[in-house]
Amino acid sequence: MSSSSEHKLAHVALLPSAGMGHLTPFLRLAASLTLQNVNVTFITPHPTVSLAESQALSQLFASFPQIKHQQFHLLPLDNPLEDPFFEHFRLIKESSHLLSPLLSALSPPLSVLITDMSLVSAVIPITEAISLPNYVLFTSSAKMLTLFLSYPTLADSKAMDELDEMDVVKIRGLELMPKSLIPPPLLKKGNNILKTSFLEDSEKVAESSGILVNTFESFEQESLRTLNDCQLLLKRLPSVVAIGPLPPCDFEKGQLQLTWLHDQPAGSVVYVSFGSRTALSREQVRELGEGLVRSGRRFVWVVKDKKVHTEDNEGLEEVIGDELMERVKEKGLVVRDWLSAAWHGVRILAWPQHGDQKVNADIVQRIGLGTWVKSWGWGQETVVNRAEIAEKIREIMGNESLRIQALGIKEEARKAVGAGGSSNKGLSELINIWRKF
């Protein structure tokens, strides 16, 4: 005879952090859980940082009225930082004591809280105090998670100081990655925001109930095995579960002028985006625009010259220049909206700008999803000229074997989250556990 707990609906609250790169996986997870008959409460730190975040949240709640929206009002801001996203991380952490009554008051009582990886050092003590299981959603790759978890050990040792750029960083004999892939702030002496966050949050992740990663088995098999075989740390980690790639929500498709895109031949369009919080210099924006025009290929170009667009108060013509804008329109579509393209089996020409992007570019190249021009370095280090950009675009778009490999990865990705797929099973098993809490 089945117990009543097997029929009970799980009630899951989600707590994202700032920036579309962190918010988007939470939006997709909320949609996936709702479609699997889970009660979802979406906690939104208020105010949000950008216009894009506000719009995405509005679209989620309009598309899924059954998702409960709970605002988390943050303390007033003092001593603003230069980076608005890191500022927001800090503000959420400083306001975390206000979460306890908010979480306790939710009805029906919560089964679990799922917290963004950048908030765990502040939030886990809160959920421990009210005996609420807390899972962490790691919004980057499993490879990046290996660095995140081992960073305190690496930071304490002098081993990294003695390595050259291309030397491989090891921990207890286990190869992590070449030193050149590690975000520069993590290698600097003294304190900085990213370094402090890694040190504080990675220590606390080990105290969570489990770690969810937006990746899939066949994409990052080796890193996932390393994480779950307890090879990385001396203390035992909670289970690491691949639940991705979380499928895009239907409402995300409405952000782009899809009519134009549907009129183009299949596989003919270059998608150009540097992520949700990367702003290129005006000079690099214009070199990129000239390179796209010279490549002769059709393209959708997400233009971003500021980290945060709070409103569309400046026309794209002003950023790109009227004359270039006219030539761009002959072959391409220029937008402000940020989208994710990997789900569609799109070939990637990686150009890492900051953060985890070199780690991810390395994965992209190794599995055959795209290429990475390492000589371009980190973004902002140098201005890459239009001729070189045009040449690399023509090269990747003319690479038939890369196109076939990318389509194969698309099939693997969809299989992972489809019925009976590895990520689908991983998430379903978690939901069954949560129903019993």
Side-chain angles (χ1 to χ4, degrees), residues 122-142:
V123 177
I124 281 184
I126 303 294
T127 50
E128 280 178 346
I130 59 172
S131 302
L132 178 65
N134 194 333
Y135 286 73
V136 176
L137 177 57
F138 194 79
T139 55
S140 185
S141 60

Side-chain angles (χ1 to χ4, degrees), residues 138-185:
F138 194 79
T139 55
S140 185
S141 60
K143 186 73 172 176
M144 193 66 189
L145 179 57
T146 64
L147 174 63
F148 181 77
L149 291 169
S150 54
Y151 184 68
T153 306
L154 293 171
D156 280 345
S157 77
K158 293 204 165 52
M160 283 204 296
D161 298 344
E162 295 154 14
L163 297 177
D164 292 330
E165 276 290 286
M166 294 318 295
D167 286 344
V168 173
V169 176
K170 297 179 182 178
I171 180 167
R172 279 183 284 281
L174 187 72
E175 293 191 354
L176 280 184
M177 61 186 66
K179 185 180 176 181
S180 60
L181 302 186
I182 295 174

Side-chain angles (χ1 to χ4, degrees), residues 93 151 186 191-201:
K93 285 182 169 184
Y151 184 68
L186 297 181
N191 289 332
N192 58 65
I193 300 163
L194 185 65
K195 194 172 177 180
T196 302
S197 176
F198 263 57
L199 288 169
E200 290 176 352
D201 293 316

Side-chain angles (χ1 to χ4, degrees), residues 18-20 49 53 83-89 276-277 307-308:
M20 289 302 293
V49 177
E53 289 170 83
D83 187 308
F85 293 100
F86 280 125
E87 188 173 81
H88 212 62
F89 296 161
S276 60
R277 54 173 302 234
K307 270 188 181 170
V308 180

Side-chain angles (χ1 to χ4, degrees), residues 9-21:
L9 295 184
H11 182 194
V12 176
L14 306 181
L15 178 62
S17 193
M20 289 302 293

Side-chain angles (χ1 to χ4, degrees), residues 47-224:
T48 52
V49 177
S50 68
L51 180 66
E53 289 170 83
S54 302
Q55 289 173 337
L57 287 164
S58 296
Q59 288 165 332
L60 174 75
F61 299 126
S63 302
F64 294 93
Q66 65 270 55
I67 293 177
K68 189 184 292 183
H69 181 198
Q70 178 68 55
Q71 283 197 341
F72 171 33
H73 292 278
L74 304 178
L75 294 169
L77 181 66
D78 58 351
N79 304 320
L81 302 170
E82 190 180 320
D83 187 308
F85 293 100
F86 280 125
E87 188 173 81
H88 212 62
F89 296 161
R90 188 189 70 178
L91 196 55
I92 297 170
K93 285 182 169 184
E94 288 176 359
S95 306
S96 60
H97 61 283
L98 302 173
L99 273 172
S100 184
L102 184 154
L103 295 170
S104 299
L106 290 174
S107 180
L110 282 176
S111 309
V112 298
L113 175 69
I114 299 176
T115 305
D116 185 274
M117 65 200 196
S118 64
L119 306 176
V120 291
S121 62
V123 177
I124 281 184
I126 303 294
T127 50
E128 280 178 346
I130 59 172
S131 302
L132 178 65
N134 194 333
Y135 286 73
V136 176
L137 177 57
F138 194 79
T139 55
S140 185
S141 60
K143 186 73 172 176
M144 193 66 189
L145 179 57
T146 64
L147 174 63
F148 181 77
L149 291 169
S150 54
Y151 184 68
T153 306
L154 293 171
D156 280 345
S157 77
K158 293 204 165 52
M160 283 204 296
D161 298 344
E162 295 154 14
L163 297 177
D164 292 330
E165 276 290 286
M166 294 318 295
D167 286 344
V168 173
V169 176
K170 297 179 182 178
I171 180 167
R172 279 183 284 281
L174 187 72
E175 293 191 354
L176 280 184
M177 61 186 66
K179 185 180 176 181
S180 60
L181 302 186
I182 295 174
L186 297 181
L187 299 172
K188 286 181 179 170
K189 299 292 179 193
N191 289 332
N192 58 65
I193 300 163
L194 185 65
K195 194 172 177 180
T196 302
S197 176
F198 263 57
L199 288 169
E200 290 176 352
D201 293 316
S202 60
E203 291 277 18
K204 274 289 175 191
V205 165
E207 297 174 27
S208 69
S209 306
I211 306 168
L212 317 181
V213 192
N214 189 18
T215 190
F216 56 105
E217 286 285 347
S218 60
F219 195 71
E220 290 196 273
Q221 199 165 31
E222 189 183 330
S223 294
L224 289 165

